[in-house]
Amino acid sequence: MPERIYDHKEIELKWHDRWKNDATLYKAEVNSTRPKYYVLEMLPYPSGSLHIGHIRNYAIGDALARYKWMQGFNVLHPMGWDAFGLPAENAAIQRGRHPHEWTLSNIEEMKRQHRRMGFSYDWDLEVTTCEPEYYRWNQWFFLKMLERGLAYRKKALVNWCPECGTVLANEQVIDGCCWRHEATPVVQRALEQWFWKITAYADELLKDITEKLEGHWPDRVLSMQRNWIGRSEGSEIDFTLEGTGEKIRVFTTRVDTIYGATCVILAPEHPVAQKLLDEAGKARAKQMIDARAQKGPGDLEKDGHFTGGYAINPYSGERLPVWIGNFVLMDYGTGAIMAVPAHDERDFEFCTTYGIPIRAVIRPVDGALDEHPKAAFGDYGIVEKSGEYSGLPSADARTKMNQRAEREGFGKAAITFRIKDWGISRQRYWGTPIPVVHCPKCGVVPVPEKDLPVVLPTDVKLTGKGRSPLLDVESFMNVKCPVCGEDARRESDTMDTFVDSSWYFYRYCDAHNSSAPFDSAKIAYWFPIDQYIGGVEHAILHLIYSRFFTKVMRDLGLIQNSEPAARLFTQGMVIKDGAKMSKNKGNVVSAEDMIDRFGADTGRLFELFAAPPEKDMDWTDSGAEGAYRFLSRIFRFVTRTADRAVFGNDAEADRRALRKLHQMIKRITEDFDQRWHFNTSIAGLMELVNVLYIEEEKLSRAALEQILPALVLMLEPFAPYTAEEMWETLGRAAPVFRQPWPKFDPELAKEDSAEVVLQVNGKVRGRILVSFGTPKDELERAALTDPSTQSFLAGKQVVKVVVVPDKLVNIVVK
RNA sequence: GCCCGGGUGGCGAAAUCGGCAGACGCAAGGGACUUAAAAUCCCUUAUCCGGCAACGGGUGUGUGGGUUCAAGUCCCACCCCGGGCACCA
């Protein structure tokens, strides 16, 4: 009989073709009696090609999905496609194609690649977020937000490139200049923008990190989110402007230092500053604002300008000069601070630059008041030189001062967040149109629900320059006002595509619903996502926005869960030649190439084997070849054993092989259930195959009949095509992942005897084989009389003997 | 500066609860098979010292201390690498 060889191409294409049109293969049922498991990898960008960096994400999710199927779960593993905003639009323009057509053709190509990889998706639940039906529900959510006061419009500063005459996203600003015009500094421009009130949920977003996500999401992601939300407790205090009596409200976390304040500093764009400043001063303020846009904040020198005004400290009655300063941010706190140069490093720097006095008011608990307390900026202590508060510890002074502010109406204890409302307006073509109409008579009017979706026009000229291209499409822009019926103009802004990705996983559960974004009953069954898997680069934006969206949907009564994902897993990057894989560096290995050279199974297997999934992994071709060799090795063993007629009959060999088998079932099951260290799972399969090669001739038919199917079943999550082919070789039918996961027998997994290490003073001197459960005193006796320890015991006194049953004996001598 | 990770052979890594450091793979070297090569199969491979050898002994998980019969693992201090945040008042 000719020896069958492992031909990955033949095998993978065979099964790929067999399953290509079977939509029911991985179908999950809503309200199944089996326990549910919703596993989801983060969205792919429809760039048209997958590379092996992407594959890792799916390989992890797919292994898990297949394992859960085999464990008897009702697994939802859907697949969909994000519209992916700016880069998609820009790339389409560069290629002279319409973004919609371009994106859809990319999606088709990526879908083909995903299928070719053999991933176990529920293809029926495919969602494409750039389709009108998805726009409809984005717009529906927008209207709901508007009704609830969670959507609003205000003038806000945006990055503006004077050369292109266009708005730039933050990521398009490189070193303060436009990404296309490296010599053109970006300026700040005020535009009317739509916002969603994520700040209304800041407290809950923060609280649930601790209450719901801690321990289930990676610490690193949670700490980034905490940082981003940035809650700080302090006080808001009004300083009264001399002359006009106008109030300047400042925010401070250190109201206890207020007697040390020597000036008030406003953000350059602060309205009070704009009133106080003369023409020259206004020009200086503008300079500061632009400079801030162009440089990273860290590189900016302190810059300030005296406004000419004075304000009164409400506690001391002291008259303080009012300045503007480039380091004071309009969108944090109140846009105004009191400067306490003695106890704040930034204030110190500012005040020394401009010769503003410095006055210390905090002394260490066990020390004296230092007039120049430079070394102890920010320290708490005892308040001095502070009127009635002198002598109080910082914390007490704070409480008392807050109480007085509240009582006398010039301030209060306050909490400030760093997180800002989510600006969803984009002056771009590509994105969901914001469903409102601007009527000269009625103002801003929402588009009635029955008129949704507002669809993007297709006859649009895309240049990537100037204002939104939608403004030039008269058929789109000109509408009748839904209220008065008069001529009106459509809103030309489109939504940030992060809106799409904020709730796509809900739509996955009910992808074809045309009367609602989804059926709430289906969500109640599937949610929360049991396991969400993706790159850490989404730690802030996507993962905060989708948490926010979930809470809003809950408050709209659409869903019951408060968090989208019960567990989050962030996988490491794929590194090649010492660098992250990227087109710029030219070190990309495309999925296509990988499948061609090694096969889909080999690629997946190697990616899971090379490192634990949360760590970065190095892709090396030789490493992939090793994975290929292993698949060949296991395949050869299974196929030639299936052809075998004569078997050995060595009970000892059977026992050794079965022991290894059951030990490995145990290890791999635990790896899946607890740690996802698939590298050790695969190493376990390799160990098992190594033992099988050694014992091959001696094994009985009965032992092989137990070992082979279990081996194939355990390979399935990592290399499904190969597993499927071997399963057929073994004369079995139906997809492998529908088979039950093998169970291990603890009795068979047990070693016959324990090897006990003998140590003298902690150093290994010998080892003895004993039967399991040998009592302590017997082990001690054996250790003390074993030849290996004798030379180290001679002439010494035994002080102590530590015995760990079945493991070691340590003899302590003097 | 602050907040997270991490540091183990030539390389990727393993050691899950404080109990044999280096499983498994890559690379390298040797052997078998072959006219030959590829493929395959088997063996060796942390390091130093002694020995022809089987073997024996020492050292070894970023550095320095500590706890313990026993530390890659726990505690303290420090060094280095990676990531995130950063005039946030």
Side-chain angles (χ1 to χ4, degrees), chain A residues 173 175-177 185-186 288-301:
Chain A
V173 179
D175 292 332
C177 295
V186 167
M288 289 180 202
I289 294 167
D290 285 343
R292 190 153 61 198
Q294 286 154 26
K295 278 200 189 172
D299 312 329
L300 276 185
E301 299 269 307

Side-chain angles (χ1 to χ4, degrees), chain A residues 604-791:
Chain A
R604 290 165 75 158
L605 189 79
F606 176 60
E607 292 206 336
L608 296 175
F609 174 65
E614 72 275 11
K615 276 186 73 167
D616 289 351
M617 69 152 295
D618 280 301
W619 175 274
T620 59
D621 287 356
S622 58
E625 278 160 25
Y628 184 84
R629 266 199 292 276
F630 170 67
L631 285 178
S632 309
R633 203 168 142 84
I634 190 170
F635 185 81
R636 255 194 317 275
F637 185 85
V638 171
T639 48
R640 80 182 168 219
T641 308
D643 289 342
R644 229 166 122 176
V646 182
F647 293 88
N649 191 22
D650 182 336
E652 282 302 310
D654 280 359
R655 191 146 69 226
R656 284 193 294 270
L658 286 171
R659 184 191 304 142
K660 198 71 175 176
L661 173 72
H662 286 274
Q663 285 172 348
M664 291 309 131
I665 297 174
K666 179 171 192 281
R667 186 203 285 185
I668 295 169
T669 307
E670 285 170 359
D671 279 344
F672 266 110
D673 289 342
Q674 294 162 25
R675 340 183 278 167
W676 295 19
H677 279 201
F678 303 131
N679 53 333
T680 58
S681 307
I682 294 165
L685 289 176
M686 288 170 169
E687 279 181 52
L688 175 56
V689 169
N690 288 348
V691 169
L692 294 177
Y693 265 70
I694 291 166
E695 308 290 359
E696 181 167 6
E697 297 300 322
K698 301 178 195 157
L699 292 174
S700 69
R701 182 196 287 267
L704 284 165
E705 278 177 357
Q706 197 185 141
I707 292 164
L708 290 181
L711 182 63
V712 173
L713 291 171
M714 287 193 287
L715 186 67
E716 151 73 21
F718 312 114
Y721 283 129
T722 308
E724 200 60 57
E725 178 69 14
M726 293 192 297
W727 195 245
E728 194 183 59
T729 303
L730 294 176
R732 315 268 181 140
V736 180
F737 75 93
R738 296 281 191 181
Q739 306 301 316
W741 184 255
K743 296 253 184 303
F744 71 92
D745 180 339
E747 281 308 309
L748 288 172
K750 256 192 198 155
E751 296 286 345
D752 291 341
S753 50
E755 193 187 47
V756 170
V757 172
L758 307 181
Q759 296 180 332
V760 178
N761 282 349
K763 291 207 160 118
V764 180
R765 298 303 179 185
R767 39 201 81 196
I768 51 172
L769 278 178
V770 300
S771 52
F772 262 100
T774 303
K776 279 189 169 193
D777 53 339
E778 209 169 301
L779 282 175
E780 182 173 337
R781 203 159 48 240
L784 288 169
T785 54
D786 193 77
S788 63
T789 58
Q790 292 316 302
S791 64

Side-chain angles (χ1 to χ4, degrees), chain A residues 11 13 70 88 153 161 177 273 283 319 336 351 358 409 426 502 522 549 600 709 714 796:
Chain A
I11 293 167
L13 282 174
M70 294 170 86
R153 197 159 172 264
C161 172
C177 295
R319 179 172 179 265
C351 292
I358 296 168
R426 295 291 179 274
S502 290
K522 288 183 182 169
F549 223 98
M714 287 193 287
K796 302 271 175 69

Side-chain angles (χ1 to χ4, degrees), chain A residues 411-556:
Chain A
K412 60 177 186 194
I415 292 162
T416 289
F417 291 93
R418 198 186 83 99
I419 193 171
K420 295 173 211 156
D421 279 337
W422 177 11
I424 60 153
S425 279
R426 295 291 179 274
Q427 291 72 39
R428 291 272 152 185
Y429 170 71
W430 197 224
T432 308
I434 292 176
V436 300
V437 165
H438 298 278
C439 171
K441 266 203 225 152
C442 316
V444 175
V445 180
V447 173
E449 222 174 291
K450 64 173 172 51
D451 294 339
L452 299 184
V454 178
V455 179
L456 286 175
T458 48
D459 53 337
V460 63
K461 278 205 189 67
L462 294 166
T463 59
K465 289 195 174 187
R467 55 199 200 147
S468 167
L470 291 174
L471 285 163
D472 298 322
V473 184
E474 291 303 318
S475 59
F476 176 79
M477 290 302 294
N478 293 329
V479 285
K480 300 289 179 202
C481 169
V483 174
C484 67
E486 297 289 310
D487 284 350
R489 298 278 283 175
R490 249 187 223 296
E491 170 64 65
S492 64
D493 283 355
T494 50
M495 293 183 205
D496 183 359
T497 49
F498 272 111
V499 172
D500 303 335
S501 56
S502 290
W503 68 282
Y504 71 103
F505 30 72
Y506 290 94
R507 183 72 180 171
Y508 279 177
C509 298
D510 196 10
H512 311 296
N513 197 327
S514 55
S515 58
F518 43 73
D519 173 354
S520 296
K522 288 183 182 169
I523 302 302
Y525 175 74
W526 285 116
F527 267 76
I529 298 167
D530 294 276
Q531 186 66 62
Y532 197 22
I533 302 164
V536 72
E537 66 272 18
H538 295 109
I540 298 297
L541 299 173
H542 168 56
L543 288 171
I544 286 214
Y545 293 149
S546 45
R547 291 183 61 217
F548 160 65
F549 223 98
T550 291
K551 292 176 193 305
V552 171
M553 292 197 303
R554 178 205 57 201
D555 290 348
L556 290 171

